[in-house]
Amino acid sequence: MFAHQVAAAQPLLIGLLLLWSSYGKVVRRDSAERTALPRLVGETRAAPAYHAVGAIEAVIALALLLPPAWTIEAVAAAVLAGGFTGYLIYAKIVVPDASCGCIGSSAKPVGRRAIGRTVLLLATALAATTADDGWWSIGSVAVVAVLVLEAAAFVMLSAELDRYWLLPLRRLRVEITHPLAGTATNDVPLAATQRRLLLSPAYRAVNGLLRSDIHDYWDDEDWRFVSYTARYDGRPATAVFAVPHQDSTPEAVRVAVVDETSGQTLYRPTLLATA
């Protein structure tokens, strides 16, 4: 009985997700060129195809959200989700630098999270095909809790939303746990900070541990903090550099490598060579 109620509630979640996704595709005109569509359908047809997909998403979303409840709506959503999954796998293999173009205007390349999101969408759509009732007939608190958990899973799989929840959490964790928490202004261009950082003994001390370009940065009074993803002794970590605004010497840059999960300081060079 509970499983049937959960299945009946899935069209609400799917409809809201597709409606949100369709908005970006219909409104934004320049997102198509960053996706794999130019390679798949040709440059001249990429934008119309992108907008068409958005329109199809909107139609299916409205069909799922508005009564009456038909199985064909969920089947259409499942077919669409299956198509998304195949397309993203194609983009990942053939055009690895292409963006997903799924939600928002993010230019991040297609990753495992984006593919996982479409697989989750496909699973929820397949579950919805077994529903006997419309989502509006479900009033169970337990079912609502399941929907909230599913929505949270979609958010966690959406790299486009990281700046709203993941990066602030990482920033807060670093400010609380790492030993370089201090102070910064927004007047210094990031490129200038990066040049100073690359010339610093601190960067040379941890260069072999870094696994990304600049991942995040923020200012706090007299300091700019710059973070990179890293690995230390096989453990996921974050390298946080502290670059002072007032002292332009490379030797003034400091760095700490902290554990990605616990925030524990794993490595903090104290005596940095100046040559």
Side-chain angles (χ1 to χ4, degrees):
M1 179 65 176
F2 179 71
H4 288 297
Q5 291 181 330
V6 171
Q10 296 309 302
L12 173 61
L13 178 64
I14 300 168
L16 292 176
L17 288 171
L18 290 181
L19 204 59
W20 176 30
S21 176
S22 69
Y23 174 79
K25 294 182 179 66
V26 172
V27 172
R28 294 184 177 89
R29 299 181 179 275
D30 58 345
S31 297
E33 62 189 32
R34 297 196 296 266
T35 70
L37 284 175
R39 176 70 176 271
L40 183 63
V41 301
E43 293 195 9
T44 59
R45 291 187 289 271
Y50 189 68
H51 296 321
V53 171
I56 293 172
E57 284 180 315
V59 170
I60 295 177
L62 293 175
L64 289 167
L65 293 172
L66 300 175
W70 293 327
T71 303
I72 190 62
E73 301 166 352
V75 172
V79 172
L80 186 66
F84 284 160
T85 303
Y87 165 75
L88 291 184
I89 293 174
Y90 164 85
K92 178 72 174 175
I93 296 172
V94 179
V95 195
D97 293 333
S99 68
C100 173
C102 305
I103 298 173
S105 57
S106 173
K108 291 183 178 180
V110 174
R112 288 176 294 181
R113 290 167 67 190
I115 295 174
R117 181 176 58 196
T118 62
V119 171
L120 180 57
L121 180 64
L122 176 59
T124 57
L126 290 175
T129 62
T130 66
D132 298 322
D133 300 311
W135 62 265
W136 48 86
S137 63
I138 306 302
S140 169
V141 175
V143 174
V144 173
V146 170
L147 288 180
V148 170
L149 291 175
E150 288 179 320
F154 276 108
V155 170
M156 293 176 66
L157 290 171
S158 299
E160 303 91 338
L161 301 179
D162 284 354
R163 65 182 182 274
Y164 298 114
W165 70 278
L166 184 57
L167 294 183
L169 285 179
R170 284 177 173 171
R171 190 174 294 178
L172 177 63
R173 187 199 65 200
V174 169
E175 288 178 351
I176 293 174
T177 61
H178 81 76
L180 299 175
T183 57
T185 104
N186 290 309
D187 297 330
V188 180
L190 178 60
T193 302
Q194 186 178 29
R195 283 194 296 270
R196 290 177 53 197
L197 193 154
L198 294 177
L199 294 172
S200 69
Y203 184 84
R204 293 196 295 271
V206 300
N207 186 30
L209 307 176
L210 304 183
R211 297 294 182 268
S212 74
D213 199 343
I214 292 177
H215 183 70
D216 189 24
Y217 75 98
W218 63 98
D219 290 334
D220 187 8
E221 294 186 9
D222 298 327
W223 294 83
R224 169 162 289 170
F225 295 99
V226 181
S227 70
Y228 292 70
T229 57
R231 290 193 74 83
Y232 187 85
D233 285 344
R235 301 163 65 176
T238 300
V240 183
F241 292 87
V243 184
H245 286 305
Q246 305 303 325
D247 188 345
S248 61
T249 60
E251 293 74 20
V253 177
R254 294 291 178 261
V255 64
V257 179
V258 297
D259 184 86
E260 180 70 19
T261 304
S262 66
Q264 173 190 359
T265 301
L266 302 176
Y267 178 55
R268 181 187 178 187
T270 53
L271 298 175
L272 297 172
T274 58

